[in-house]
Amino acid sequence: MVLRTYAVLLLTRIFGNFVFVCSKEKGNQMLKALEPNSFSSAGLHPSFSAREATIEDLDSMLELFFAIFAEPAFNDRAQNFDLYDRMKMRYSKDPNKHEREFWGRDKNRRYAIVVHDKTTGQLVGTAWLISDLDSDPSEDVGEINKIYLLPECRGKGVGLWLMRKMMSEARELGFRRLSLITGRELSKAVSLYTKLGFVLATQGRYSNSPNSIAMTYDVPVYRHGESCEGN
């Protein structure tokens, strides 16, 4: 019996690559594998694993955020750094801030990643992409939010990996521009964003905070067949 072959074209969410499957059986397997919770950690440092975040991760993510906010380097009073106090005030004033920012303005146009240490299983990093809360929805602006890593995980390319994942996903979601807000005390993060093409922008949401820095990035549009590697 001659087996009929089927060609299944799948557009993955990772780096905009195309995956071609040449049989019905394998095609069904791949379709199942590429359901919303499927994920590729290609290029991530081998000490870590990553997956898409879910609502069940919110509590552990908030614990991670405040562990990072409390780092001494970010609370140097001599330089007017007060990250922990600023964040504690923001979250205290707005109890729904954490969950609202996780979902963003459009639940169908968002993306979030959690990174774990493979040995301990500990949550060590996060990154979120949502529809920008300060912009008109028609402007197609995405906001990269909650790019955080524990100190012992920095310097291993994980932050760069997370940013590239967010920037790639922004193209998939149709965002034309990206925004992010960081802190003056996060000098290494600012340097990374600058190297990736982000530029300083007018501060909006936290204009009354002298340590907050707004940055923006124009998402390039690629025609079919063009490479977007390295962006």
Side-chain angles (χ1 to χ4, degrees):
M1 180 180 181
V2 178
L3 296 176
R4 294 193 304 172
T5 59
Y6 296 80
V8 180
L9 175 62
L10 300 177
L11 177 63
T12 73
R13 304 185 69 181
I14 309 302
F15 303 118
N17 294 328
F18 287 97
V19 179
F20 292 92
V21 184
C22 298
S23 73
K24 183 177 181 179
E25 181 179 359
K26 289 184 178 180
N28 289 336
Q29 292 174 352
M30 289 298 293
L31 282 169
K32 183 176 181 181
L34 290 174
E35 288 175 351
N37 289 330
S38 66
F39 194 86
S40 170
S41 297
L44 181 62
H45 189 284
S47 298
F48 307 102
S49 63
R51 62 170 171 80
E52 287 191 46
T54 69
I55 193 71
E56 286 76 21
D57 294 311
L58 281 179
D59 288 344
S60 57
M61 286 192 288
L62 193 59
E63 291 180 9
L64 172 70
F65 299 163
F66 274 90
I68 292 172
F69 297 158
E71 290 180 37
F74 305 150
N75 298 278
D76 185 345
R77 300 296 180 180
Q79 300 187 64
N80 294 319
F81 292 165
D82 57 352
L83 185 62
Y84 183 86
D85 289 344
R86 280 190 287 131
M87 292 302 176
K88 184 176 181 180
M89 179 180 66
R90 289 175 189 171
Y91 281 88
S92 297
K93 284 185 175 181
D94 185 358
N96 298 318
K97 173 181 173 64
H98 186 44
E99 183 171 349
R100 187 180 68 253
E101 289 186 343
F102 177 75
W103 291 116
R105 179 164 35 202
D106 184 348
K107 291 186 178 182
N108 296 315
R109 216 176 180 194
R110 55 166 300 282
Y111 193 60
I113 295 175
V114 285
V115 179
H116 291 84
D117 183 291
K118 281 186 177 179
T119 301
T120 65
Q122 179 186 12
L123 175 67
V124 298
T126 64
W128 299 2
L129 172 64
I130 60 175
S131 182
D132 186 82
L133 299 174
D134 293 333
S135 303
D136 188 299
S138 65
E139 296 178 351
D140 289 327
V141 180
E143 179 180 342
I144 295 180
N145 205 325
K146 304 298 186 291
I147 296 279
Y148 292 129
L149 281 173
L150 288 178
E152 59 269 27
C153 303
R154 297 169 194 161
K156 299 179 181 180
V158 182
L160 175 61
W161 183 86
L162 284 169
M163 283 297 296
R164 284 180 169 166
K165 293 283 277 188
M166 295 295 104
M167 294 166 76
S168 176
E169 187 65 18
R171 286 190 294 268
E172 296 296 324
L173 293 174
F175 289 122
R176 292 183 292 178
R177 190 166 75 254
L178 289 175
S179 70
L180 62 82
I181 299 172
T182 187
R184 185 166 60 89
E185 59 272 58
L186 305 175
S187 57
K188 290 184 178 180
V190 174
S191 177
L192 171 62
Y193 305 149
T194 301
K195 289 178 181 177
L196 287 170
F198 283 79
V199 296
L200 294 178
T202 302
Q203 179 63 275
R205 192 180 318 161
Y206 303 124
S207 57
N208 61 341
S209 174
N211 285 336
S212 292
I213 296 174
M215 305 187 78
T216 188
Y217 172 82
D218 290 328
V219 178
V221 178
Y222 294 95
R223 294 186 297 273
H224 180 66
E226 290 185 324
S227 172
C228 56
E229 185 178 353
N231 288 293

